[in-house]
């Protein structure tokens, strides 16, 4: 038996033992891809097990994340902080080895994978980040940003539609340091994929402008090495290495079948597999000579030290660039950021302008992009509608060191790619589309929330105010869905001041995504005093009140705030004491201390009305089960916005009439 095969067998046996011990998991892929992993990790992958966050490491993405024991075995064997005890706790509560790789749980895991194809999309984002940063920071003899992004992907990843979106864009952008290993084993959960997946993968990827290396023996070390060397020699195209493998390799009775895909092999079959692979050790026992061959701690330390020496010289020759590099990777904001952005918001308040919040967002970007070179934006072919381009925007397709990505009509791919850009480091990504089309991006939005990814979503055309395009384009339930997703802060600002405040909040937020929900139609700017201005960042604040015991509280967001304010003043003229709350971000408000929440929404006031052109049911949380909600309970219609608002009840007259009846009830 060759040394390479013995080392890859360590992965296989650790994987089958861990899956068996957990009584669940996926042994087939780790057994099938173990030989590829051995060649890549021991001969090509640039990393440091003792510093998994080293900036210039290669990124390794296990897109077929169900085979997580492959990655955990590699991390354990090469010297990461993943002990054999953690391997034994595979899939158990609070272990470092969850069922699918999770970025914040396991050192060495670059992104959370499992939903097939998204790891591949994240990898495209990481490759974009590497290429763009290298163009920005590198100088002759100082390639301080210079690494590869490696991906393991299976049939399922390539069947998912997101793989088409992101691989097409990767080819267009000529991401030469992106290399994908396609585990072509012909098996998925339902059996032989030839019954439902007969694509010509070679021609498919050639049409994307990828370099394709076909018919590689995924169990032959020299064949794998040769393919990697060839892929690394191609500088202007991403590469896909199509490896023919056997799922469950080594299992006498279950290899090559779907039986090895998603269930333990069973004690009897594992014993036969040990015998077949000539593995004479007990479960979870790895001999020291194999550990020594796998250990990468010294090599990893040396690689990082060499880079550190180069960076030290870079600091001497290019001190300003080096300072900027460190600031961006440390996620520090520029000096005077707070003062400049605060001054900008005060200036907006003092210079009222009735504009759409999407326009206010563009104005804010115009200011903020000049302060933050790490802002990298993009739109799913809606830049003129989302208003996400400003005078400082530069397309990376035309300028490799640019800060704007034309994603094309790829909402799902766009969102997942930007998640990868964020996790690479050095950037704060923002992406944009119509709020309705968050439906296409939903799972990548959820993954951003799950991973606490710093990613700013810009969703414009936020309600029936979209108008004539009709119900297919008018979001109704999307806002509530976003608000109820853990870790996402959702802002629906009512004017240019709240919009700029939301942007400032999103950038200053340490981690986690933020969604800015913006209007197509113009909005009237609200007058505020300094206390109100400073309270916007708390998510909800008192916009107007009569100084008496409160009879009724009005709560509103976005385009409905102004008409709510006018309606409340009419109710006050009838002798009632009113309070108007603008709640641009309920998520942020919910995190405030109890004293503030009670101050804004005192419990003694039971008469509460919420007004928002979105699904009604969300608002019971704030108005109570007996509260009044003026909102949507059906889909919209095709008509001009003013006609729609009138017909669906978003008028001063309707708010006043319903409020009077409510107060008399």
């Amino acid at each position: 038996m060759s040394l390479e095969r013995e080392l890859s067998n360590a992965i296989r046996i650790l994987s089958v033992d861990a899956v068996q011990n957990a009584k669940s998991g996926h042994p087939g892929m780790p057994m099938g891809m173990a030989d590829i992993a051995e060649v890549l990790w021991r001969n090509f992958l640039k990393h440091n097990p003792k510093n998994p966050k080293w900036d210039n490491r290669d990124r390794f993405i296990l897109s077929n994340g169900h085979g997580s024991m492959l990655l955990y075995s590699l991390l354990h064997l090469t010297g990461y902080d993943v002990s054999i005890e953690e391997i034994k706790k595979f899939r158990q509560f609070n272990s470092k080895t969850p069922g699918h790789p999770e970025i914040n749980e396991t050192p060495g895991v670059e992104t959370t994978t499992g939903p097939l194809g998204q790891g591949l999309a994240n990898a495209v984002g990481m490759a974009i980040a590497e290429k763009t940063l290298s163009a920005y920071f590198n100088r002759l003899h100082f390639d301080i940003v210079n690494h590869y992004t490696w991906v393991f992907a299976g049939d399922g990843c390539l069947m998912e539609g997101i793989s088409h979106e992101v691989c097409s864009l990767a080819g267009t952008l000529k991401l030469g340091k992106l290399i994908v290993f396609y585990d072509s084993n012909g098996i998925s959960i339902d059996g032989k994929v030839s019954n439902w997946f007969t694509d010509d993968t070679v021609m498919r990827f050639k049409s994307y402008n990828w370099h394709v290396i076909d018919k590689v023996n995924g169990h032959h070390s020299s064949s794998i090495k040769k393919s990697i060397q060839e892929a690394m020699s191609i500088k202007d195209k991403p590469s896909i290495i199509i490896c023919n493998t056997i799922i469950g390799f080594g299992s006498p009775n279950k290899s090559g079948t779907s039986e090895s895909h998603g269930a333990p092999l069973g004690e009897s079959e594992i014993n036969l597999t040990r015998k077949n692979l000539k593995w004479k050790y007990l479960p979870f026992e790895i001999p020291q000579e194999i550990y020594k061959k796998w250990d990468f701690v010294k090599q990893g330390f040396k690689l990082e030290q060499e880079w550190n020496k180069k960076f030290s010289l870079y600091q001497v020759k290019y001190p300003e660039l080096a300072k900027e590099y460190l600031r961006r990777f440390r996620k520090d904001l520029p000096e005077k950021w707070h003062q400049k952005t605060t001054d900008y918001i005060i200036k907006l308040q003092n210079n009222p302008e009735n504009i759409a919040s999407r326009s206010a967002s563009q104005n804010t970007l115009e200011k903020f992009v000049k302060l933050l070179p790490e802002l990298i934006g993009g739109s799913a072919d809606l830049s003129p509608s989302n208003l996400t381009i400003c005078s400082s925007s530069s397309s990376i397709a035309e300028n490799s060191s640019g800060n704007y990505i034309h994603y094309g009509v790829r909402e799902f791919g766009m969102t997942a790619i930007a998640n990868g850009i964020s996790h690479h480091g050095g950037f704060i990504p923002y992406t944009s589309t119509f709020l309705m089309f968050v439906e296409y991006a939903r799972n990548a939005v959820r993954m951003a929330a799950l991973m606490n990814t710093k990613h700013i979503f810009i969703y414009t055309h936020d309600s029936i105010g979209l108008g004539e395009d009709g119900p297919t384009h008018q979001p109704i339930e999307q806002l509530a869905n976003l608000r109820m997703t853990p870790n996402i802060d959702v802002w629906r600002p009512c004017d240019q001041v709240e919009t700029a405040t939301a942007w400032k909040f999103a950038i200053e937020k340490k981690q986690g995504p933020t969604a800015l929900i913006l209007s197509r139609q113009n909005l009237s700017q609200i007058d505020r005093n300094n206390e109100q201005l400073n309270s916007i960042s708390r998510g909800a604040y008192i916009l107007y009140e009569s100084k008496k015991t409160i009879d009724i509280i009005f709560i509103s967001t976005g385009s409905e705030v102004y008409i709510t304010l006018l309606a409340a003043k009419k109710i006050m003229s009838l002798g009632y004491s009113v309070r108007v709350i603008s709640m641009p971000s309920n998520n942020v408000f919910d995190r405030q201390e109890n004293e503030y929440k009670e101050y804004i929404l005192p419990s003694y006031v039971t008469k509460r009305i919420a007004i928002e052109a979105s699904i009604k049911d969300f608002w019971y949380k704030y108005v109570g089960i007996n509260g009044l909600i003026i909102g949507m309970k059906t889909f919209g219609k095709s008509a001009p916005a003013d006609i729609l608002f009138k017909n669906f009840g978003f008028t001063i007259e309707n708010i006043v009439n319903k409020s009077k009846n409510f107060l008399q009830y």
Side-chain angles (χ1 to χ4, degrees), residues 344 348 359-369 499-500 503:
Y344 173 69
L348 291 178
S359 299
S361 172
Q362 186 180 43
N363 293 343
T364 303
L365 271 172
E366 189 69 42
K367 180 74 173 180
F368 287 7
V369 168
T499 302
W503 259 110

Side-chain angles (χ1 to χ4, degrees), residues 336-352:
K336 299 183 180 179
W337 158 265
H338 178 73
Q339 188 59 54
K340 288 181 178 180
T341 54
T342 300
D343 289 347
Y344 173 69
I345 292 171
I346 293 172
K347 181 180 178 182
L348 291 178
Q349 183 62 56
N350 294 334
N351 294 273

Side-chain angles (χ1 to χ4, degrees), residues 193-201:
V193 300
S194 58
N195 291 320
W196 48 83
F197 185 51
T198 58
D199 301 19
D200 188 331
T201 302

Side-chain angles (χ1 to χ4, degrees), residues 219-265:
H219 301 297
H220 193 277
S221 294
S222 61
S223 178
I224 299 165
K225 286 179 183 177
K226 183 180 177 182
S227 70
I228 294 174
Q229 289 165 343
E230 179 182 337
M232 294 179 75
S233 73
I234 304 300
K235 306 300 183 183
D236 61 346
K237 294 181 180 182
S239 294
I240 183 168
I241 302 172
I242 302 174
C243 296
N244 297 322
T245 64
I246 301 171
I247 190 172
F249 181 93
S251 170
N253 299 304
K254 296 186 178 181
S255 64
T257 72
S258 59
E259 289 185 72
S260 67
H261 172 85
L265 297 183

